[in-house]
Amino acid sequence: MAQPRLTDFFARRRPGPRAAPPRAKPAWRTPSPAKPAPPTPARTPGGSRKRARPPAEPTRDHPAPPARRRLRLPADTWCGGDGPADGILCPQASSKVTLSELKSCLQRARELGARAQELKASAQRKDAGEPCVLEDQGQPAGPCGQKAPAYQRFHALAQPGPPGLVLPYKYQVLAEMFRSMDTIVGMLYNRSETATFAKVKQGVQDMMRKRFEERNVGQIRTVYPACYRFRQERNVPTFKDGVKRSDYQLTIEPLLDQEAGSTAPQLTASHLLRRRQVFGQNLVERVREHHRAFLASLNPPMVVPEDQLTRWHPHFNVDEVPDIEPAELPQPPTTEKLATAQEVLARARSLMSPRMQKALSDLALRTAKSGSPGSPGPAPPATPPATPPAALKGVSQDLLERIRCKQSQKQLAQMTRQPEQERRLQRLERLPELARVLRGIFVSERKPALTMEVACARMAGSYRAALSLGEMEKHVQLLSELLPDWLSLHHVRTDTYVKLDKAADLAGVLARLAHLARAEAAL
């Protein structure tokens, strides 16, 4: 017998409406365009205004409502069927967008396919060994006609620090190749192992991550002929399947000065450093030769002493210096092979009859007459003399000559200027602005004198460029040296005081500093 509940007891004792059971969540169903919606029951005039209550407990006829609501879709989206599983998406609303997207995707696919074909063809050409290497060998433009990247064409302009005798990018790459090659050859030589080109090539490529070929070895021999001895040798022990002991290999042996009565010399670190310095000097000397030719081609020509040259001419493009021609390396001896019909006939001439030999000689004479070169063509016309540009027509030639001479003197002074002079000129260019800043500091402080430390700290904080306190002190000393009547330094015990004449005309002071800077730059 079931125990009565407390709610049932109160319902029996107290008459009134029973508490309504909890309402179940109505079932949300997606209306199908194929089936009409169920009719809504009409309200009775005297009926209750409350909504109809669903059954309290689910039965077989009324299944449980779903946990999530189903997505309602517009009726014009589906073309048929009772729902998304039965219907088909109609393209009326999105037909134009779909076609445009398909066209763009097709165009993109064609472009990617063409790009893939180009990359595949270039990879095949590279595997075939075509000479189309730009970056690895440091050349400005390869045989393929491609333009070298900007970091190679303008390498000299991007060097940090003051300008000097900068080497081209391809020469610096060659110097790095020589350093790597000398290191590897020295390691093999010190342990009495024969250095072959195959071993050196693999080691240099691992160190530099660049391609190293026999052409680079020929360039190194051209720049420094007395560094190595090259020979073609056989029976060199190898550990590769593709190289036989009977094959000829290019061997590399360093040339060292052996003292009398001493053992076999070793390629030490001091030797490596000295050889690298000699190689760098030889590269600079080659650039000097092209620079001398460039100076001789100017109008008027310039002659700069080699011991006074500290930088290249401003119009001399260092990175356009031609490549170094590789020297010839020893080649393996060629065995006699019959490759043409002429060689076969020459070998079999002794086996032929005299009549056959005469017929062959007549045929050779007729071939030689038909292939003889004709009369030489007319000589090419001489190069016409250079004419002045149209913009200089009507200008006096004497004036042009004076301007050219003055410009050449200025460039000559710039090329032979020492680093100390260059730093002094840079300080002179900063002095006008620093003088204005220093006078403003004295006016704001309202003091007749300031210590050197305080003045330099205030100037360093007010100047547009970042300068250290030591560098700023050098500028103040130079300012007192050039204008002692305007700025003076006084040493009192352990401190140095700066005294400024605030009553002087600042415009006149700046004009004097600018004049001194121009006069020093013209020297």
Side-chain angles (χ1 to χ4, degrees), residues 102-114:
L102 287 176
K103 290 181 179 179
S104 62
C105 292
L106 183 60
Q107 182 67 21
R108 180 63 177 167
R110 291 175 179 173
E111 294 176 359
L112 292 177

Side-chain angles (χ1 to χ4, degrees), residues 96-132:
K96 296 183 180 179
V97 178
T98 305
L99 290 177
S100 61
E101 290 180 354
L102 287 176
K103 290 181 179 179
S104 62
C105 292
L106 183 60
Q107 182 67 21
R108 180 63 177 167
R110 291 175 179 173
E111 294 176 359
L112 292 177
R115 180 62 178 167
Q117 292 294 336
E118 292 178 2
L119 293 177
K120 185 177 180 181
S122 62
Q124 291 178 356
R125 288 196 302 267
K126 185 176 180 181
D127 295 341
E130 295 186 5
C132 186

Side-chain angles (χ1 to χ4, degrees), residues 161-180:
L165 299 180
V166 183
L167 289 175
Y169 177 79
K170 49 194 172 186
Y171 282 20
Q172 291 193 6
V173 171
L174 189 63
E176 189 67 18
M177 287 182 176
F178 173 76
R179 185 189 69 84
S180 304

Side-chain angles (χ1 to χ4, degrees), residues 251-492:
T251 59
I252 305 171
E253 180 184 356
L255 296 177
L256 301 176
D257 298 333
Q258 185 174 4
E259 299 179 357
S262 62
T263 59
Q266 295 286 319
L267 196 57
T268 60
S270 59
H271 287 89
L272 295 176
L273 182 60
R274 192 181 311 114
R275 288 158 66 92
R276 185 168 58 175
Q277 291 175 353
V278 173
F279 191 83
Q281 293 173 1
N282 293 347
L283 288 177
V284 173
E285 185 60 32
R286 284 187 167 271
V287 182
R288 284 178 185 267
E289 295 178 0
H290 296 285
H291 186 253
R292 284 195 294 267
F294 173 78
L295 295 180
S297 64
L298 296 177
N299 185 18
M302 299 175 60
V303 178
V304 183
E306 294 297 334
D307 55 345
Q308 299 180 7
L309 184 66
T310 58
R311 71 189 65 192
W312 308 121
H313 192 275
H315 298 160
F316 178 65
N317 196 343
V318 183
D319 292 305
E320 289 187 358
V321 173
D323 293 346
I324 299 174
E325 292 296 331
E328 294 185 2
L329 298 176
Q331 300 296 329
T334 57
T335 57
E336 187 178 2
K337 294 181 180 180
L338 304 178
T340 62
Q342 190 72 20
E343 295 177 357
V344 174
L345 293 177
R347 175 63 64 85
R349 190 177 295 275
S350 59
L351 305 177
M352 296 181 183
S353 60
R355 188 173 180 181
M356 182 65 70
Q357 293 180 7
K358 184 178 179 181
L360 289 176
S361 61
D362 294 342
L363 179 61
L365 288 175
R366 287 197 300 271
T367 306
K369 288 181 181 180
S370 61
S372 60
S375 58
T383 305
T387 58
L392 298 179
K393 286 185 178 180
V395 182
S396 175
Q397 293 295 328
D398 296 339
L399 178 60
L400 292 177
E401 290 297 330
R402 288 198 301 270
I403 293 174
R404 291 193 182 102
C405 290
K406 188 174 181 180
Q407 186 178 7
S408 62
Q409 291 177 2
K410 183 178 179 181
Q411 293 172 351
L412 179 61
Q414 184 179 1
M415 286 187 292
T416 57
R417 190 177 296 153
Q418 297 298 326
E420 294 80 7
Q421 299 177 356
E422 184 69 26
R423 287 192 289 268
R424 180 180 173 86
L425 284 177
Q426 291 178 358
R427 291 170 187 162
L428 285 174
E429 292 176 357
R430 300 191 191 107
L431 284 185
E433 187 174 354
L434 288 176
R436 187 185 297 108
V437 172
L438 184 59
R439 186 180 183 277
I441 292 172
F442 269 89
V443 170
S444 63
E445 290 291 337
R446 298 180 181 179
K447 293 180 180 179
L450 294 173
T451 60
M452 178 68 77
E453 184 179 358
V454 173
C456 292
R458 299 291 176 83
M459 293 173 67
S462 302
Y463 190 57
R464 55 184 174 83
L467 294 177
S468 62
L469 296 181
E471 188 68 20
M472 194 63 69
E473 184 176 351
K474 293 180 181 178
H475 284 79
V476 175
Q477 292 175 357
L478 181 60
L479 195 59
S480 65
E481 177 186 344
L482 297 177
L483 301 175
D485 55 342
W486 184 67
L487 183 69
S488 58
L489 301 179
H490 303 276
H491 301 279
V492 179

Side-chain angles (χ1 to χ4, degrees), residues 7 10 15 20 106 111-112 121 131 136-137 160 199 205 215 218 222 229 237 302 313-314 341 364 394 457 460-461:
T7 54
F10 279 105
L106 183 60
E111 294 176 359
L112 292 177
D136 295 341
Q137 298 180 2
K199 300 177 183 178
Q205 291 184 160
R215 179 178 181 275
T222 302
R229 180 186 293 114
M302 299 175 60
H313 192 275

